[in-house]
Each structure stands twice: as C-alpha cells, then as structure tokens.
Amino acid sequence: MTKADVVLIIMVFILSIVSIFTIPKLLTSGENGKMIVVYLDGEVIHRFPLEEHEESEFIEFPFTVNNVEYTGRLETKDGYVRLHRLPDEISPLSIHADMGWIREPYQMIVSLPIKMYIAIEETEEEELPFDIIVQ
C-alpha cells in the first residue's frame, strides 16, 4: 500500500462521515413552514401546521375504518410530532406509538394494519406572478 492509497482511504472515510450529517440538512431547507399530513389508505385525510411550542399540544382528528368512526391523537412539542396509541381493534400492536417523535420530511410514523401514516411536508412559498422589484 502506497502513501496515495492511505490518503485516498482517509479522504473516503472523512467524506462518508461528513455526508452523514450534511445530506439530511440538504434534503430539508428549513426555511419554509412544515405541515403534519395524515394519510389513510394512500389519501390525505388531514393537514395540520407544525409549530414550535414549549408545552405539549394535542390534536385530535377523526377517521373512518370499515365504516366505524375513530379518533386519532397527535402530540406536538418543540417542532416534533408523535402519534398516540390507536385502539386495539384496528391496530393490535403499538408499533406506531413506539416510533416516537418525528420532525423532518424524510421521517414518518406508520400504522400498517389500517394503512395510516403520518408524514411531515414542507410548505412551499407562493410564487408571485410579478417581480417584487417592479417599480
């Protein structure tokens, strides 16, 4: 092994460590607002703004599975969101509650038996039909 091989190995190692931290930041711009989006069977059923609060806030939302009405409960705090335990008859395992808190668009909470998932989406700023610098 030559000195060039050692330098190459060190460079690849450093780039891989740096990419672990930079790629998630590049995927999320962080300047736009974020929305909590609730999907049921692939369709959007609710959208809520994700705001930063020091205290926990709870959002209850209705949904229907097999013609029975249920209520889901989201908890938000400091820009994070989590889904509380759903009833045992529609989701017997608590995997969705054990997934914990999410904050970024590449994270999601899934309740597989009812095909429900919670995701974070960034809201896009509206493009104006004219240039702001117009006089």
Side-chain angles (χ1 to χ4, degrees):
M1 213 159 45
T2 65
K3 289 182 182 182
D5 293 335
V6 173
V7 169
L8 181 63
I9 292 170
I10 291 172
M11 292 296 291
V12 168
F13 181 73
I14 290 172
L15 286 174
S16 64
I17 296 297
V18 169
S19 68
I20 290 173
F21 299 106
T22 57
I23 289 176
K25 296 294 180 192
L26 293 174
L27 291 176
T28 59
S29 66
E31 302 204 4
N32 297 330
K34 293 181 181 178
M35 298 288 288
I36 303 166
V37 184
V38 181
Y39 294 88
L40 184 63
D41 202 17
E43 296 180 16
V44 176
I45 58 170
H46 296 288
R47 288 182 179 271
F48 306 104
L50 180 59
E51 300 169 355
E52 302 225 6
H53 302 285
E54 290 186 18
E55 298 294 322
S56 290
E57 291 198 4
F58 299 95
I59 302 169
E60 294 190 353
F61 60 93
F63 64 95
T64 304
V65 175
N66 297 330
N67 297 323
V68 179
E69 187 80 18
Y70 295 99
T71 301
R73 188 172 189 195
L74 297 171
E75 181 179 358
T76 62
K77 182 178 180 183
D78 294 330
Y80 288 87
V81 64
R82 75 180 183 123
L83 177 64
H84 282 255
R85 180 78 169 94
L86 296 174
D88 287 336
E89 55 267 9
I90 59 172
S91 187
L93 299 176
S94 65
I95 296 171
H96 60 276
D98 297 337
M99 287 183 169
W101 299 85
I102 63 172
R103 177 183 194 130
E104 301 297 337
Y106 54 84
Q107 300 170 324
M108 68 175 50
I109 300 170
V110 179
S111 177
L112 196 56
I114 59 172
K115 300 177 185 172
M116 175 186 281
Y117 66 96
I118 314 298
I120 306 293
E121 291 182 359
E122 291 187 357
T123 57
E124 298 293 327
E125 291 184 16
E126 263 184 59
E127 283 192 33
L128 300 174
F130 53 87
D131 191 4
I132 294 178
I133 303 178
V134 173
Q135 295 179 351

